[in-house]
Amino acid sequence: ISEMVKDPVDLIYSWYIRGWGGRFTTDPRVTNITYQSNVGIVPWTNLYIDGEYNELKPMDRIIHLIEGIFLNAFKNYNEMEDKKKKQILWLVLEEFVTNTEENIVRIENYLGVKRSKYTPKQLKIERCPRVLNKEERKKKLELIKSKASANAFRKIEGLYECYEDIKK
């Protein structure tokens, strides 16, 4: 299994721009698993977080959902036997797009395959490698801070702890 993770601020921002703060339980085209809670339909990741999804504003919902996904994945990974952990290749999107060749080699070695003749074309489509703009992330964080409650915004620190552990 290969698992790619993305910087929490970039992920929260992209979900917000796409409207995921309200779509998970209202858009019939969303194929996310939901369940009936005592206050309405909520996404399955709500199972891993305290609080009620439907009472949150959109940005808080997104932070809440991403926290559930991160914490559940990290908890399950940490509970695995070492033998199973070795069957997971963690990839960090930001490292992949900036150090593309190194990560392609990691994937080749992990899977025991060589890149295809289509790899360069796909990397070009995905704009890899590229330089990431740190100022953009600061602007994204400011938007998130302006739209999130103080409690939800504090959760980002915990997300970064998981993210940093995954990067190791």
Side-chain angles (χ1 to χ4, degrees):
I1 296 173
S2 62
E3 178 74 24
M4 185 167 288
V5 293
K6 189 175 187 179
D7 181 281
V9 167
D10 290 337
L11 188 57
I12 292 166
Y13 177 83
S14 67
W15 280 32
Y16 183 75
I17 295 302
R18 287 173 178 78
W20 288 116
R23 290 178 55 200
F24 271 104
T25 58
T26 59
D27 187 339
R29 295 174 293 168
V30 174
T31 59
N32 192 33
I33 297 170
T34 58
Y35 70 97
Q36 182 70 42
S37 77
N38 59 348
V39 292
I41 297 172
V42 296
W44 70 272
T45 52
N46 194 69
L47 289 167
Y48 302 100
I49 304 296
D50 292 332
E52 287 301 336
Y53 174 85
N54 290 318
E55 296 172 7
L56 302 172
K57 56 187 179 177
M59 184 64 79
D60 289 4
R61 287 179 180 176
I62 291 167
I63 293 169
H64 188 82
L65 290 170
I66 291 172
E67 181 187 33
I69 292 166
F70 263 70
L71 294 179
N72 183 45
F74 199 62
K75 175 183 163 277
N76 288 336
Y77 177 77
N78 284 330
E79 291 174 355
M80 288 180 177
E81 302 169 11
D82 287 341
K83 181 180 174 183
K84 293 214 184 252
K85 285 181 180 180
K86 291 178 183 174
Q87 297 175 346
I88 299 175
L89 174 65
W90 290 97
L91 298 165
V92 177
L93 179 69
E94 294 74 23
E95 290 176 13
F96 185 89
V97 300
T98 57
N99 300 311
T100 304
E101 180 59 26
E102 180 182 315
N103 280 278
I104 293 291
V105 170
R106 280 183 67 216
I107 293 168
E108 288 175 326
N109 292 336
Y110 182 75
L111 296 176
V113 299
K114 292 291 178 193
R115 67 192 81 195
S116 77
K117 65 181 181 179
Y118 304 105
T119 303
K121 181 180 180 183
Q122 190 61 43
L123 290 174
K124 187 175 182 176
I125 290 169
E126 300 298 332
R127 300 176 301 125
C128 293
R130 66 180 180 259
V131 176
L132 297 176
N133 184 335
K134 292 180 182 179
E135 289 302 313
E136 280 183 29
R137 186 163 297 127
K138 287 180 186 176
K139 289 178 185 176
K140 291 174 184 178
L141 187 60
E142 287 303 315
L143 175 84
I144 293 167
K145 188 174 185 178
S146 74
K147 301 285 184 185
S149 68
N151 284 340
F153 190 75
R154 279 192 296 273
K155 291 181 178 193
I156 295 173
E157 190 174 306
L159 290 172
Y160 268 104
E161 287 177 20
C162 285
Y163 178 69
E164 290 301 321
D165 285 343
I166 289 167
K167 286 170 60 173
K168 293 175 190 172

